[in-house]
Structures are given as structure tokens and as C-alpha cells.
Amino acid sequence: MFSFDELTSPERELWNAYPEGRTVDLRGAVPGDDRVAEGGQWGPERTVRAPVVAALMLGAHGGQPGAVPCLRLAGARIVGPLNLAGAHLAHALWLEECWFEEAVNLLGATTRTLVFKGCRVPGIEAGATRIEGNLDLGRSVVESGAPSHFHHRVTALSLTNARVAGGVILNKAELNAPGGWALAGGGLVMEGGLFCRPGFVARGEIRLPGAQLPGGLYMNGARLEEPGPRGLALNLENSVISTVVLSSGFLANGTVELRGARISAGLSLAGAVLKAPPSGDGPCLSAPLMQAVDLDFALAEPPSGAVDLRGAQVSYLRDSQHSWPEVVELDGFVYGSIRGDETGAGTEAAGRRNSVAHRVAWIRRSPGYNPQPYEQLASWYRKAGHDDEARRVLLAKQRHRRQTLPPAARAWGHLLDVTVGYGYRPWLAGVWLLALTLLGTLSFGGHSPRPVQQGEGAPFQPLVYTLDLLIPIGGLGQRSAWYWPDESLQALAYLLIAFGWILTTAVIAGVTRALQKN
């Protein structure tokens, strides 16, 4: 416990102001002399010992009747460790443009609103803290300190397993922990939002696995310039969040991890820039098993690394020409509706054709062959009433599958494709039949065959004879009544019989395949 006589002049001023909640402003009259980055050079007239701040917050000087105590201090150089671990702080702490010599320890504390606005702090440990209000670090620079109580990585700001009744405000703040964790918030539970809006910069991983953020995460315009030890820039694995806004100039130089995240409203990456970790290992976006209502993936430019959406589920997907990199994992990705800007100019039908070509090319960016992305896309086209487009997608699926088959099966697949389009283009069989009928009629029409039985059978008719050769079932009485002494014409007759069987088999196989689910 301090006696009043032991206090310096600025400490006495703070001591007297605390019970009434008055602000003690130690900043100079000239704005240029108050650069917080140079706070280590401030003299005794602006120096306050951290234990004095702790003593006041712990009740060393009681309040006055009719006033609410609050420690409000601006422009101070705070020396020594500010250790409030496990403390119960009944009143708010408001520090503005203060320079801290050592880290702040709030481990396991129960506090009211905490404000470190525009300060420079060498690390804040607030793991397992209960904050009945807001935590405001707007415009502050928080550097990495020693490894946290909860983890071995160097950490700038630790909120692991913390509970915050209000919001966490990091607008225009800077968290520096290169190679470590800029923000460690695993298990963080908040009622308000987490705000890291324009001007926010992080060097190190923003780590929020298992966090519960019903107030949302807002990082529009934020810059995550350096990833953490695993190449992660933002880790929201298995988190439960209402809204995630990573838009309007958001930059991540590392993986955005959303594995198993549940987002009850929307995930927006409109206008964002996603870059792979500097090592080149790992995707730009990893979101397997993610659930979200809206996914706005209209990025500002194509990602420099892979995008993993395996097993993810969204109700509405919006993308653009800049959305997808060379590798996109789509197996198991389910969406209720999809909208992009790929349709282009022209008629509505031409736009849908462009859409199908664009979407099939999107699916082909996925490594290997997986039928589910094709089935999902075809299902969406069918629900939208575009059956022709759905058939085009399923035809593309069969062509992709064909590349994985052995040579004999590939040859049969090519035959099905050419003749009936795997059953999705049955009109092709009619085209072949018409062409072969015309060929046979013209070839046989200029020659006279010999009857099998002299004086018996119907007169020779080239068109009917050709049709009788092409139709393998039943008969029209021409094929069995005539034969050709000319070997070339007889060979043509045998060829038409073979084509008839091939076309019939292909039609039956193709239609059967088309009627099946896969």
C-alpha cells in the first residue's frame, strides 16, 4: 500500500482524480511532442508507476458520495508491470495514448470496461478474464511479449477462454507478433461484436478456434500481413458466429481457416484479397464442413492459392470472374442457389449456355473426378427450371468420368457420346439414322439387286430396303428378299446392319444411364 507522501506529482493528481472519475491528462500543449512511440523518453512529469494504477483499481482510495470512481489517464509513461491477475475490478479503466514499459496482466480478472485507446503496450494477457463491458484497444499498438500462460507461442493479445459482455474494439489497432499469435482467442465467448475495421493490422495469426461470437466478426478493410506458425492468417475453426465480414479491401497473406465454422447469417469476402502463405504450402481459404446462409465470394482478384470447400453447406453463393484459383476443392459442397456474373451479353438462352460452360470449367478445377459437384450443379439447374442446362452438366460429368476408365470402357464411352450423348442427347441417334438412310437410299437407288427367290417378294424399294437394314427388330420384307452381286454394295448392306445394332444398343444404354440418378 502506498502512502500519499510516497507519490510523485502526477501520481498524486491521479490519486485525487480517481474517486470522482476525472481525467488526468499529462499530454503536452504541442501535439508533435506526444508521439506515443517515443513515450519511453518522457520525463518524470509524465511518469506513473504501474503499481499505483493497480492500487487504485483495487480500492486503495475509495469513492466520493455521488460520484462513480474511474481511472482515467492520458499521455502517461507507465513503468513497471501492471499486474491485475485474478483481481476483481469494480470500476472502469480508461487509458489513452499511454506508453507501457511492461506487459499488462489481467489473467483471470473480473473487470468492467477496459479502454487502452491509442496506447503502446508490450503484450496484454487477458486469458480467462470476465469483462462486464467493452474492451477497447482502438488505435493501440500491442507488441508480442513472452509466451502466454495458456500457450507457448509469443502473443500480442491473449483472450483465450475470456468472457466479454460487450464488444472487443480493435479498429485501427496494430497487433504485432511475427511468427506467433497476434490475437489468441480460442474459446472466446462474447455477446457483442469483434471489430477490426479499416486501419487494423495484424502480424501473426488471428486465432479464434471454437469462439462464440453472436455479435459477429467485422474485419472489412483489415490487413493480416503475416501468418502464424502454420501459415494461418485467420483461424475460425469450429467457431459459432452470426456474421463474418471480410470485405472491402480485406487482405490475408496466409490461410483463412473456416473448417467446421457455423455462420448463422452471412460470410462476405466481397472485394477481399486472399493470398497463399509465403511458404507456398496451404490454401488461401480452407472451409471444409463450414455452414453459412450467405457466401459472397466476389473477390477483388483471383486467390493465389487453392480454395477448399469440401463438405461445406451454404444457402446462397455469389461469385465473380475473380473468385476462383486454379485449384478448387468442391467435393461435397452443397448450395441452394448460385449467382455470378458469367452470363455475359446476348440472349437469355446464350447467357445460360455461357453459365453452364463457366460452371463446368469451375468444377473441372477440382483435382480428380468426383461426381457430386456435377450432380449438385445439375440439381440447381433443375430446381431453377433449366432442364437443358442440367443435361449439359450431366453430359460433362460423363465425359470427365470417361477419362478415369480403362481403354475398352473409354472406347465404349466415346461411342455413347457420339451416338446419343450418353442419353442426354437422344436426338443424335435421329441424325445418324437420317444420314445413314440417305446414304443407303442414294447408294442402292442407282443399282439393281438380285432376288433371293425369283418372282417372289415385294418390288425393290431403296428407301424401304435401307430402313429394313437399319432397324434390327422386326422386318419390312426387303432385307431377306434381295442380295447384291456387287461386293461393295453388299458390304454396305452389312455395314448398315451393324450400324443399326450399334445405334439401338447405344440408345438403350444411354437412355438407361440418363434415367439413373448417377
Side-chain angles (χ1 to χ4, degrees), residues 1-3 6 15 55 59-60:
M1 181 66 68
F2 292 93
S3 68
E6 295 176 321
W15 192 275

Side-chain angles (χ1 to χ4, degrees), residues 36-40 42 76-79 97-101 119-120:
V36 180
E38 301 174 0
W42 294 341
R77 173 176 176 258
I78 300 177
V79 297
E97 296 186 3
C98 292
W99 183 91
F100 285 78
E101 183 181 54
C119 297
R120 184 270 180 191

Side-chain angles (χ1 to χ4, degrees), residues 303-496:
S304 62
V307 170
D308 187 353
L309 292 171
R310 289 174 296 176
Q313 299 180 29
V314 301
S315 298
Y316 303 97
L317 170 65
R318 178 177 178 267
D319 64 358
S320 70
Q321 60 181 339
H322 300 306
S323 294
W324 307 109
E326 293 300 320
V327 178
V328 184
E329 298 276 6
L330 293 172
D331 190 26
F333 179 41
V334 176
Y335 44 86
S337 178
I338 188 169
R339 182 176 182 179
D341 59 3
E342 74 279 357
T343 54
T347 65
E348 181 180 355
R352 289 200 301 271
R353 286 194 296 271
N354 291 337
S355 174
V356 172
H358 175 82
R359 293 299 166 193
V360 169
W362 172 50
I363 293 174
R364 291 299 298 266
R365 296 176 187 230
S366 186
Y369 166 72
N370 293 298
Q372 187 275 337
Y374 290 100
E375 294 291 340
Q376 167 63 40
L377 182 60
S379 174
W380 173 68
Y381 275 119
R382 280 195 295 265
K383 289 178 181 178
H386 303 312
D387 291 339
D388 289 343
E389 285 69 28
R391 285 191 288 270
R392 290 184 64 195
V393 172
L394 295 174
L395 176 58
K397 182 190 81 167
Q398 293 297 337
R399 288 172 173 171
H400 192 177
R401 175 178 175 271
R402 184 173 67 210
Q403 299 175 6
T404 68
L405 300 176
R410 283 203 302 271
W412 174 244
H414 279 292
L415 180 61
L416 287 177
D417 194 357
V418 170
T419 54
V420 290
Y422 284 96
Y424 300 113
R425 292 179 173 178
W427 52 268
L428 282 176
V431 173
W432 280 103
L433 182 62
L434 180 62
L436 292 173
T437 299
L438 182 62
L439 173 64
T441 301
L442 294 176
S443 299
F444 298 135
H447 302 81
S448 298
R450 293 181 180 177
V452 175
Q453 296 290 334
Q454 194 69 32
E456 297 183 5
F460 178 73
Q461 300 180 40
L463 174 61
V464 179
Y465 179 75
T466 302
L467 290 175
D468 203 6
L469 294 174
L470 289 172
I471 299 174
I473 301 173
L476 300 177
Q478 291 277 311
R479 180 173 57 184
S480 60
W482 305 94
Y483 73 95
W484 297 94
D486 187 329
E487 293 183 358
S488 62
L489 291 176
Q490 188 61 46
L492 177 60
Y494 291 145
L495 186 62
L496 290 177

Side-chain angles (χ1 to χ4, degrees), residues 149-216:
H149 174 85
F150 287 95
H151 30 70
H152 63 280
R153 298 287 180 188
V154 293
T155 305
L157 172 62
S158 174
L159 291 170
T160 303
N161 296 326
R163 301 290 185 272
V164 183
V168 174
I169 302 169
L170 298 172
N171 298 333
K172 298 184 179 180
E174 186 174 322
L175 305 181
N176 294 321
W181 294 337
L183 169 59
L188 172 66
V189 177
M190 295 176 50
E191 295 182 16
L194 175 53
F195 300 92
C196 307
R197 283 177 167 166
F200 174 81
V201 177
R203 297 176 180 89
E205 180 181 337
I206 301 295
R207 180 175 171 79
L208 297 165
Q212 298 182 39
L213 308 176

Side-chain angles (χ1 to χ4, degrees), residues 205-290:
E205 180 181 337
I206 301 295
R207 180 175 171 79
L208 297 165
Q212 298 182 39
L213 308 176
L217 172 62
Y218 302 90
M219 303 190 75
N220 38 311
R223 298 179 62 85
L224 311 185
E225 295 186 349
E226 295 184 30
R230 295 187 298 155
L232 300 183
L234 174 62
N235 185 353
L236 297 173
E237 184 175 0
N238 295 322
S239 58
V240 179
I241 313 176
S242 62
T243 301
V244 179
V245 180
L246 312 176
S247 61
S248 304
F250 172 84
L251 167 68
N253 281 320
T255 300
V256 175
E257 178 64 73
L258 289 163
R259 180 184 300 270
R262 288 181 291 167
I263 303 170
S264 58
L267 167 60
S268 176
L269 287 132
V273 176
L274 302 181
K275 296 186 177 295
S279 63
D281 298 328
C284 285
L285 175 67
S286 175
L289 304 178
M290 177 194 74

Side-chain angles (χ1 to χ4, degrees), residues 1-60:
M1 181 66 68
F2 292 93
S3 68
F4 191 78
D5 294 337
E6 295 176 321
L7 302 179
T8 63
S9 176
E11 291 171 349
R12 289 180 181 182
E13 187 178 356
L14 181 63
W15 192 275
N16 291 329
Y18 171 76
E20 299 177 3
R22 291 184 286 109
T23 300
V24 175
D25 193 341
L26 302 180
R27 290 174 291 194
V30 181
D33 296 336
D34 289 318
R35 289 189 290 269
V36 180
E38 301 174 0
Q41 302 174 14
W42 294 341
E45 73 284 357
R46 298 184 62 172
T47 300
V48 174
R49 289 171 290 174
V52 174
V53 174
L56 286 171
M57 293 301 298
L58 294 173

